[in-house]
Amino acid sequence: MDTSVFGTMESEVRSYSRAWPTVFTTGHGAVLRDEDGRSWIDFFAGAGALNYGHNPPALKAALLEYLGGDGVTHGLDMHTAAKRAFLERLRDLVLVPRGMDHRVQFPGPGGTNAVEAALKLARKVTGRHTVAYFERGFHGMTLGALAVTANPVKRAGAGVPLPHTVPLPYDDPADDDERAVRRLARSLDTAAEAGPPAAVVVETVQGEGGVNPARPAWLRALAAWARDHGTLLVVDDIQMGCGRTGPFFSFEDAGIVPDIVCLSKSISGYGTPMALTLIRPQYDIWKPGEHNGTFRGYNPAFVTAARALELFWSDGAMEARTRALGQRVGDALADTARRHGLPAPRGRGLAWGLPFDRPGGPGRRRALLTDPVRRSAAPAAARPGVLPAGHAAPRPEPRRAVRPRRARGGLPGQHAHAAAPLRRGDRPQPAGASAGLPRPPRPPSAGDHRPHGGRDRGHKS
């Protein structure tokens, strides 16, 4: 297996590939195969772009049929049959059932494009400059999105100041609801002393920051403050949308409707590049061409996105399964934490992290989420090859994928893709919504699983 060309020609900026000393060739579901014929369980999941696994058969069939018929590939913002089908499915299966009438902007191929568009539009709508964001938040690597990203290492890479933004403390699980809301109001009022911000951008469950779920009461208070101050509420659902936490949008359980929603990652359903910025109609004040991009109309992504919505979001089965599996993963992680004296896990739906607060312990070498089929990471959380999770754990470089091995005490029947890694610079990986899984009846809504009464004292971004 020859990997020399990657080292001699590819930029030094590469990171993940340094950890996986192999060359991958094929992928199906949650399993990758390499040139030597070895199989690997893919915890990485395309950094969040593969909620439904590698090459879901029904989506692949739709894509091949479209390409075989010479369907338009590059369309800018032309009217195409593929775009029409996607917009109709998004409207009928996602937006209307949730009482949303948002306009759809195609800002470009990636999540950072969606965030850039949201920030520009919020400033245009309000005439204000400042945007508030939250500690440990991650929103992208282009300058605008980076300015609302908390990670100091990522920010330093900009090479220039990142002005007109203000950081705020995120929801603290050590607080009760009343104290959490008071803290939020106080920090927002302080940030607005010189005038309210144009927007406040938030992840309802932080990913890069260590799987931090914000409680519904906190999110409702944030939405109410924004409304009262003429500040646009922007929810970055790039990582936690498309069913990662259970419902299609991660903010649904809080009963809020953001002014702007950013989507990408798994919205295409197939790992093809696609991003959306959803905008309340009254704020859609763009002039034609005022914000654009060459690859904002990638029609193969529209084809797989439309088919994914048809397959997985025509009823409530996907949400129900994600909640049910998420409860099982949370219970298993809680048991692991109790047995090894670790802090309680944090998560919602199928986004989970197990924090480590002992920098000198085994977690320093290799932190984890979990392999719910094989529980390969559970004993002492220190086995080599387990991908990392949680901002509370020091994150070594590099990372590795996990070779399949015989199951030992895993969760019966759970798909290997149901949990995924977290790492600095990428949002938590989507999981659990894999094609072809049996669908149980909808269980009662599962609330957030958050540790209370004890502050995480581990490493912070």
Side-chain angles (χ1 to χ4, degrees):
M1 178 167 46
D2 183 9
T3 61
S4 61
V5 70
F6 305 112
T8 59
M9 293 195 67
E10 194 174 357
S11 167
E12 292 299 316
V13 78
R14 66 192 186 280
S15 59
Y16 303 121
S17 59
R18 298 175 185 272
W20 304 323
T22 190
V23 177
F24 297 105
T25 55
T26 63
H28 180 76
V31 177
L32 288 166
R33 290 183 67 84
D34 66 16
E35 285 185 332
D36 291 338
R38 296 175 298 180
S39 295
W40 303 73
I41 298 173
D42 181 16
F43 279 58
F44 188 59
L50 297 170
N51 270 15
Y52 312 111
H54 291 273
N55 293 302
L59 274 61
K60 179 168 67 175
L63 178 59
L64 292 176
E65 180 181 6
Y66 182 77
L67 296 175
D70 288 336
V72 173
T73 295
H74 183 272
L76 291 169
D77 63 358
M78 294 187 296
H79 296 164
T80 66
K83 183 196 284 188
R84 178 176 60 200
F86 168 71
L87 288 171
E88 289 172 348
R89 302 302 183 277
L90 183 69
R91 178 194 63 199
D92 297 342
L93 299 176
V94 176
L95 298 181
V96 170
R98 291 160 178 80
M100 298 172 63
D101 60 354
H102 289 54
R103 298 288 185 89
V104 182
Q105 179 180 354
F106 299 99
T112 196
N113 303 111
V115 173
E116 293 284 351
L119 300 180
K120 285 174 63 175
L121 184 58
R123 287 168 169 142
K124 179 178 174 68
V125 167
T126 63
R128 306 169 187 169
H129 296 160
T130 302
V131 173
Y133 66 97
F134 289 94
E135 295 171 354
R136 300 190 301 275
F138 179 84
H139 301 285
M141 296 294 285
T142 52
L143 283 183
L146 195 56
V148 292
T149 289
N151 187 315
V153 175
K154 303 299 184 187
R155 293 176 68 89
V160 296
L162 299 171
H164 306 303
T165 59
V166 57
L168 302 171
Y170 196 69
D171 187 11
D172 188 336
D175 293 338
D176 60 25
D177 285 0
E178 183 179 353
R179 182 175 175 81
V181 169
R182 277 203 316 270
R183 281 181 183 268
L184 174 65
R186 186 163 59 247
S187 64
L188 287 165
D189 289 342
T190 300
E193 285 178 351
V200 56
V201 58
V202 66
E203 300 160 278
T204 68
V205 180
Q206 289 184 325
E208 187 270 350
V211 192
N212 301 300
R215 72 195 81 200
W218 188 90
L219 290 169
R220 287 192 291 269
L222 176 61
W225 189 96
R227 182 175 59 249
D228 292 344
H229 291 79
T231 295
L232 271 60
L233 177 63
V234 179
V235 168
D236 180 342
D237 236 5
I238 291 164
Q239 188 73 13
M240 294 299 170
C242 304
R244 176 65 191 269
T245 67
F248 187 86
F249 295 112
S250 69
F251 51 80
E252 292 182 46
D253 286 343
I256 63 173
V257 179
D259 299 305
I260 300 177
V261 182
C262 300
L263 291 173
S264 186
K265 298 286 189 182
S266 284
I267 187 61
S268 77
Y270 203 75
T272 45
M274 181 175 175
L276 307 178
T277 305
L278 307 182
I279 309 161
R280 283 189 187 268
Q282 63 267 37
Y283 301 133
D284 183 23
I285 62 171
W286 290 117
K287 295 177 182 177
E290 192 173 8
H291 185 91
N292 57 36
T294 301
F295 292 101
R296 65 191 186 276
Y298 184 57
N299 282 256
F302 298 156
V303 172
T304 54
R307 188 69 179 124
L309 294 180
E310 293 170 352
L311 285 174
F312 302 115
W313 298 101
S314 293
D315 56 28
M318 178 62 73
E319 177 181 344
R321 179 159 180 78
T322 300
R323 291 186 187 275
L325 292 179
Q327 183 68 52
R328 293 166 67 186
V329 171
D331 290 346
L333 284 174
D335 178 66
T336 297
R338 283 191 299 270
R339 288 187 291 110
H340 297 287
L342 298 172
R346 300 190 296 261
R348 184 190 301 162
L350 276 166
W352 283 91
L354 186 60
F356 290 80
D357 61 355
R358 293 176 295 183
R364 183 176 182 83
R365 177 161 183 257
R366 190 69 63 179
L368 65 113
L369 206 45
T370 186
D371 176 347
V373 173
R374 294 159 177 81
R375 292 280 286 278
S376 60
R383 293 185 180 179
V386 180
L387 286 163
H391 80 277
R395 292 185 180 89
E397 294 288 352
R399 316 299 189 201
R400 288 193 289 179
V402 180
R403 289 287 305 280
R405 57 185 113 166
R406 183 174 179 83
R408 290 193 304 170
L411 300 177
Q414 181 135 341
H415 196 278
H417 198 48
L422 310 171
R423 59 159 288 144
R424 189 182 305 276
D426 275 291
R427 306 159 183 270
Q429 316 320 318
S434 301
L437 296 179
R439 293 175 168 179
R442 178 187 293 273
S445 176
D448 293 351
H449 293 257
R450 312 165 49 88
H452 287 276
R455 188 184 305 270
D456 173 18
R457 301 182 185 279
H459 174 79
K460 290 188 177 181
S461 298

